[in-house]
Amino acid sequence: MTDILIAGAGPVGLTLALALHRRGIGVRVLEKREGLSSASRASTFHPPTLDALDALGVLAPLLPGGVRVNRILWRRVDSGASATVDLAIVSRETRFPHRWHREQHYLTPALLAALPPGTVRFGAGVEAMEQTDAGVTLRCADGSAHRGRYAIGCDGASGALRALAGIGVEASDYAHRVLRLLTPLDLRAHVPDLDGLGYLHDAAGSCSLLRMPEVWRLIFRIPPEMPDEAAMEEDHARARIARFLPGLRDMPVAGRDVYGVKRAMAVAYRAGRVLLAGDAAHLTNTRGGMNMNAGVHDAMTLAATLGAVLRGASDALLDAWAAARLHVVREALLPRTDARVAASPGDEVARMAALTPEQARAWAREACMLDIARIGAPG
Ligand SMILES: Cc1cc2nc3c(=O)[nH]c(=O)nc-3n(C[C@H](O)[C@H](O)[C@H](O)COP(=O)(O)OP(=O)(O)OC[C@H]3O[C@@H](n4cnc5c(N)ncnc54)[C@H](O)[C@@H]3O)c2cc1C
């Protein structure tokens, strides 16, 4: 019997596996795909996530070619009013007081390489689960069966293990979708005070600018009534650019896509010997770039809790962990990333410009997830 079985070799399952392995705990990861995913998804690593990855010894492979973001900008394109927050304001609490922009598919190979060979079994989608007082058995599509003391569902939004454990989920789609444009043009040359993340506003809305290693991402909200095909059209994209970046209407566009945004929350993080982490437990709007980061924090706090329980602490610690992480999702993660808040920004630029240094520090702690990352870890 393995100590811990993990369903899913995404960033959360692999972080959990490595954090357990570093504690000397036996772990096996079962992954449905034949290899790691290379899809373009998360791009933002927040300070406590960088602290965690550094502690696991996998930060170095993420750094070459990534983008360090020290400062966040808000700017009114009509009046030119602006505000900035320098993330150095949180440097007392983290070794990395900045955001790091790098695609998540650079993290997963680094995690995999740090695990002992054979830890991850690919082509092994979990299809069935049985649990007793002593352990859990997972049966996979390739015919294999695996027994562990606990099983953790890190199998993403589809949540196969969550469903097998009978844990319900509350989910809803946001009405709007997002148009994402990529440009190789360095927007810092065109937007005063822009570092690696900016929010441009006019009286009726906003767009986000996010610097990635080779391109900038421009993120626009598209209204519910507009079909994806219309949002993708050249004229529509150019009009959006012109509204927020006058003079750059004809900028080179190297890629574009439209995606929907959802919010979802498992009603519990635990059912017997099955626990959840990452997208299997929570799904948010991409605003603030928090969902994968929160999954990594689930993994780090769960590894510490499982370590204590396997060393003889009460199993009730896992209930406390599950309740604490659910509270984080309900009270912080979902409200902070709520697309409806962003839909009515009011004069966000004036609000940010009016913050006192102490208020700016409190804002930055929340935006960087420093206030919630370690909640649930045993004391
Ligand atoms: C466009 C976009 C932008 C985003 N930007 C950000 C961002 O900037 N910052 C941020 O923090 N988050 C962001 N996110 C969210 C982030 O991508 C996810 O939160 C993250 O991938 C979750 O990791 P995970 O390991 O929980 O799940 P996943 O990455 O979905 O991995 C789950 C794994 O489980 C496997 N699996 C599925 N079913 C089974 C099964 N039955 N048995 C075994 N394995 C199975 C899958 O194949 C997969 O490999 C973004 C998402 C999108 C779509």
Side-chain angles (χ1 to χ4, degrees):
M1 169 146 68
T2 313
D3 289 326
I4 306 294
L5 300 175
I6 296 173
V12 175
L14 292 176
T15 300
L16 177 61
L18 185 57
L20 291 168
H21 172 67
R22 294 276 194 249
R23 288 181 151 76
I25 296 169
V27 59
R28 178 173 299 158
V29 182
L30 305 168
E31 165 58 45
K32 182 165 82 170
R33 292 172 196 268
E34 296 297 335
L36 297 176
S37 167
S38 59
S40 169
R41 294 176 67 187
S43 57
T44 299
F45 291 83
H46 287 294
T49 310
L50 298 172
D51 284 323
L53 298 178
D54 189 43
L56 292 177
V58 289
L59 182 57
L62 208 59
L63 299 183
V67 171
R68 177 180 165 140
V69 180
N70 297 311
R71 196 175 61 239
I72 305 176
L73 168 74
W74 293 258
R75 175 171 289 278
R76 281 290 294 238
V77 293
D78 39 11
S79 69
S82 70
T84 56
V85 170
D86 191 326
L87 297 178
I89 203 165
V90 295
S91 57
R92 270 181 293 166
E93 299 175 61
T94 170
R95 296 183 57 214
F96 305 96
H98 50 258
R99 293 166 57 124
W100 196 261
H101 287 181
R102 194 76 169 128
E103 299 264 8
Q104 74 183 54
H105 61 75
Y106 287 92
L107 172 63
T108 41
L111 291 164
L112 182 64
L115 285 164
T119 303
V120 181
R121 185 178 178 113
F122 288 102
V126 173
E127 291 190 332
M129 183 275 296
E130 298 132 38
Q131 59 170 320
T132 65
D133 289 347
V136 188
T137 303
L138 299 182
R139 298 185 193 283
C140 298
D142 62 359
S144 61
H146 309 266
R147 191 154 169 73
R149 294 174 67 181
Y150 293 93
I152 321 298
C154 300
D155 46 358
S158 58
L161 192 51
R162 181 184 69 214
L164 291 168
I167 301 176
V169 61
E170 293 165 2
S172 57
D173 286 348
Y174 287 111
H176 75 281
R177 280 146 302 126
V178 170
L179 170 66
R180 181 167 69 163
L181 304 179
L182 307 180
T183 180
L185 189 70
D186 188 350
L187 297 177
R188 290 173 299 176
H190 302 273
V191 180
D193 289 333
L194 183 60
D195 177 18
L197 177 65
Y199 301 102
L200 302 182
H201 291 256
D202 62 16
S206 65
C207 82
S208 315
L209 310 177
L210 195 93
R211 183 176 164 223
M212 293 302 293
E214 277 140 23
V215 291
W216 281 80
R217 292 184 185 175
L218 291 78
I219 315 279
F220 303 92
R221 178 181 295 254
I222 54 172
E225 62 280 4
M226 179 178 278
D228 286 4
E229 305 70 45
M232 290 282 280
E233 272 173 17
E234 185 70 9
D235 283 353
H236 172 253
R238 297 286 168 197
R240 286 303 182 114
I241 296 170
R243 174 173 159 194
F244 291 103
L245 292 160
L248 295 182
R249 189 183 188 281
D250 296 322
M251 68 163 60
V253 172
R256 71 187 70 181
D257 59 3
V258 170
Y259 56 87
V261 282
K262 289 181 194 300
R263 53 180 275 152
M265 184 179 98
V267 299
Y269 259 73
R270 179 177 192 192
R273 291 184 169 268
V274 174
L275 297 106
L276 305 178
D279 278 19
H282 48 80
L283 213 54
T284 67
N285 180 19
T286 52
R287 179 175 195 250
M290 292 191 175
N291 207 48
M292 177 197 67
N293 286 268
V296 169
H297 307 158
D298 289 341
M300 295 301 288
T301 52
L302 178 56
T305 309
L306 282 167
V309 169
L310 294 179
R311 280 195 312 274
S314 164
D315 173 88
L317 268 188
L318 287 169
D319 289 329
W321 172 84
R325 293 311 296 176
L326 195 63
H327 184 79
V328 164
V329 173
R330 187 185 291 120
E331 302 302 326
L333 188 63
L334 287 173
R336 275 176 208 179
T337 54
D338 196 314
R340 289 163 298 196
V341 175
S344 53
D347 201 344
E348 197 178 354
V349 180
R351 249 192 338 267
M352 294 308 298
L355 296 183
T356 64
E358 208 35 55
Q359 288 169 331
R361 198 176 82 83
W363 180 90
R365 289 189 80 237
E366 291 190 1
C368 292
M369 308 177 79
L370 282 160
D371 60 328
I372 52 175
R374 293 177 187 88
I375 291 179

